[in-house]
Amino acid sequence: MEMLSLIHLNKKVFMSKLIFSSNRLFTIFDFFISHSQLLIRSSKNDDYDKNIDIIFFDVKFQQINTYFKGFKLRMGDKEIFSKKYPSVKEYLSSNENNLFEIDANNEIYYIAASFAKVYENELAFNETSLGVLNYQGRDVEITNSMK
């Protein structure tokens, strides 16, 4: 079910698609430099038997914190953001690229990337789900930004 919310930016109102939401604690976990993949993970622990991995593909820009308590991932407004951050204007002008908005810690953070996918896995703390040909932990997809 697609969830939409109203976002107010610079007196412009637009509908923003909610991609994923969780009350768990998430941290920046890994970055695969050669393919610009960013992993934000909520690690398994005594309360949760599985990790939740949020992977952003083809990351061009990130304005984020290192941890997130509570996590709402939405599509952001590329037009308004491009005016505020001209360094990513050309990247966001492509229909294949997106602006993602993370609402956490009572703040809003941004990532410009092609797409995002959310997975559930049981990888150990020292294992990553990033990679191109040889990756693990992507068997159970919860959702993605392309739906």
Side-chain angles (χ1 to χ4, degrees):
M1 181 174 144
E2 183 174 299
M3 297 184 69
L4 300 174
S5 61
L6 287 175
I7 305 294
H8 300 269
L9 291 174
N10 298 340
K11 299 181 182 177
K12 179 180 176 182
V13 178
F14 69 98
M15 297 299 287
S16 177
K17 176 184 165 190
L18 181 63
I19 299 166
F20 174 75
S21 180
S22 174
N23 289 324
R24 291 174 59 169
L25 177 67
F26 288 81
T27 59
I28 301 296
F29 202 81
D30 197 3
F31 193 86
F32 191 48
I33 294 170
S34 66
H35 285 76
S36 299
Q37 295 177 358
L38 172 65
L39 171 59
I40 297 176
R41 175 177 284 173
S42 176
S43 295
K44 59 185 178 180
N45 57 35
D46 292 340
D47 296 325
Y48 303 103
D49 61 347
K50 297 185 188 301
N51 300 316
I52 297 177
D53 285 4
I54 304 169
I55 303 176
F56 296 88
F57 296 84
D58 188 32
V59 174
K60 178 68 174 179
F61 175 91
Q62 50 186 325
Q63 183 253 327
I64 54 178
N65 203 347
T66 56
Y67 74 94
F68 309 93
K69 179 61 179 146
F71 194 100
K72 290 181 183 171
L73 179 64
R74 294 187 181 93
M75 300 301 282
D77 187 313
K78 296 194 305 185
E79 180 184 336
I80 291 175
F81 192 81
S82 293
K83 291 177 185 174
K84 190 173 182 180
Y85 295 94
S87 62
V88 294
K89 183 176 184 173
E90 182 178 343
Y91 180 81
L92 290 175
S93 68
S94 169
N95 288 336
E96 297 173 2
N97 300 325
N98 295 288
L99 178 68
F100 297 96
E101 182 179 279
I102 298 170
D103 184 348
N105 310 328
N106 296 317
E107 292 189 39
I108 304 294
Y109 306 100
Y110 296 97
I111 297 174
S114 289
F115 60 96
K117 292 188 174 190
V118 182
Y119 298 96
E120 191 174 68
N121 62 55
E122 297 181 19
L123 296 176
F125 182 80
N126 63 339
E127 296 177 308
T128 184
S129 56
L130 298 185
V132 179
L133 299 175
N134 299 316
Y135 56 81
Q136 54 189 353
R138 295 192 203 169
D139 298 328
V140 180
E141 183 177 314
I142 297 171
T143 190
N144 67 65
S145 63
M146 299 168 287
K147 287 185 177 182

